Amino acid sequence: MNLTEQNYFSAEAAAQYMSQSQFKDFDQCEARAMAILRGDVSDEKEAYIEGRYFEAIICGKRAEFEAEYADQILSGRGATKGEPKANFRSVIASAEAFMRQPAFSDIVGRCEQQKILTGEIAGVPFKCKLDFFDPETLSEWDSKCMRDFKRLYDEGECHYASWFFVRGYHYQAAISRELIRQNFGDFGVCGLIAATKEAVPDVAWIVFDDSVLDNALEIVQTFAPTYAAV
């Protein structure tokens, strides 16, 4: 199957390729992950739409995205009819704060956007979509729009940890790095560039150490074959 922007999130692609989000779904609950694959449960929560809206704004595709998701994003009644709902207005403010950062706007301007890669990890077909990929340095940056940057409680590890670890974004970076290596023979920096949806948005630039990604990849290699078998 040749993955494209149009079919990347399709049920067919999800059945043929494991992704970082699918790996994390299986890691949390195999039964729910299978329900999502069968279409019995939708994983398209409003927070997911907010994240994609954020990406569309910083990539200059706001109008197209609003047209596609008008029912979810735009108010349908009252004085605000046709305008973004309150939670999506906070996403807009977050994206504007993000783009005011010269380093972030530079990444957005010079990198390839939404680059799709495929490969295999431990014999399991994997796919990834890189928000921003620099073909010269083989570095990739994933953009995030978060509620805040507070530490979160990790139920699996029974302690508080940084939000990007609890959300499993180190697994995402490890998978992306490995697929970059497979497709280009080497890899560069893998990290996050993020902004919050707070009244005064905060921003963060996070680079994962290779040792962190090596450990995360080892975990993916260990469990991906089992999840694929399920």
Side-chain angles (χ1 to χ4, degrees), residues 40-83:
D40 298 335
V41 174
S42 173
D43 64 343
E44 198 165 272
K45 301 177 182 177
E46 190 156 73
Y48 171 78
I49 302 297
E50 289 178 2
R52 292 188 62 194
Y53 187 45
F54 177 82
E55 292 176 0
I57 295 171
I58 64 177
C59 291
K61 300 176 181 178
R62 175 180 171 179
E64 297 95 311
F65 195 84
E66 285 184 354
E68 182 177 356
Y69 289 93
D71 291 344
Q72 291 97 322
I73 295 175
L74 305 180
S75 173
R77 59 185 179 181
T80 60
K81 183 177 181 179
E83 298 178 5

Side-chain angles (χ1 to χ4, degrees), residues 11 41 62 76-77 99 126 129 144-145 190 202 218-219:
V41 174
R62 175 180 171 179
R77 59 185 179 181
M99 291 303 291
F126 265 84
K129 181 185 277 192
K144 298 296 182 187
C145 181
C190 291
D202 196 3
E218 186 175 339
I219 294 173

Side-chain angles (χ1 to χ4, degrees), residues 23-221:
F23 178 85
K24 290 190 291 186
D25 285 340
F26 272 100
D27 195 46
Q28 293 172 1
C29 178
E30 294 179 7
R32 184 178 184 279
M34 286 303 300
I36 292 173
L37 280 173
R38 291 192 301 266
D40 298 335
V41 174
S42 173
D43 64 343
E44 198 165 272
K45 301 177 182 177
E46 190 156 73
Y48 171 78
I49 302 297
E50 289 178 2
R52 292 188 62 194
Y53 187 45
F54 177 82
E55 292 176 0
I57 295 171
I58 64 177
C59 291
K61 300 176 181 178
R62 175 180 171 179
E64 297 95 311
F65 195 84
E66 285 184 354
E68 182 177 356
Y69 289 93
D71 291 344
Q72 291 97 322
I73 295 175
L74 305 180
S75 173
R77 59 185 179 181
T80 60
K81 183 177 181 179
E83 298 178 5
K85 299 174 184 176
N87 59 314
F88 289 104
R89 289 200 298 272
S90 69
V91 173
I92 295 170
S94 177
E96 290 173 346
F98 179 98
M99 291 303 291
R100 284 196 295 270
Q101 309 305 309
F104 293 0
S105 60
D106 175 65
I107 288 173
V108 172
R110 65 182 167 80
C111 289
E112 296 181 21
Q113 299 178 2
Q114 304 298 312
K115 187 171 183 64
I116 296 171
L117 296 178
T118 60
E120 285 192 1
I121 298 176
V124 178
F126 265 84
K127 64 173 181 173
C128 72
K129 181 185 277 192
L130 309 178
D131 284 352
F132 301 103
F133 175 65
D134 186 341
E136 293 188 7
T137 64
L138 301 181
S139 296
E140 69 93 12
W141 302 95
D142 194 60
S143 59
K144 298 296 182 187
C145 181
M146 308 299 298
R147 181 176 62 184
D148 54 50
F149 293 146
K150 295 178 182 178
R151 290 167 68 84
L152 301 174
Y153 187 73
D154 189 326
E155 295 183 358
E157 298 295 333
C158 299
H159 63 72
Y160 281 89
S162 298
W163 58 273
F164 43 85
F165 285 127
V166 178
R167 297 296 187 195
Y169 294 141
H170 56 313
Y171 292 125
Q172 179 175 353
I175 291 168
S176 296
R177 186 189 67 167
E178 175 60 16
L179 297 190
I180 290 172
R181 184 195 66 78
Q182 291 182 19
N183 283 271
F184 298 97
D186 201 356
F187 56 81
V189 169
C190 291
L192 302 175
I193 45 178
T196 68
K197 293 178 283 188
E198 297 169 294
V200 179
D202 196 3
V203 296
W205 170 302
I206 296 158
V207 177
F208 291 108
D209 291 338
D210 282 338
S211 60
V212 170
L213 299 187
D214 290 343
N215 181 67
L217 180 61
E218 186 175 339
I219 294 173
V220 174
Q221 291 169 330

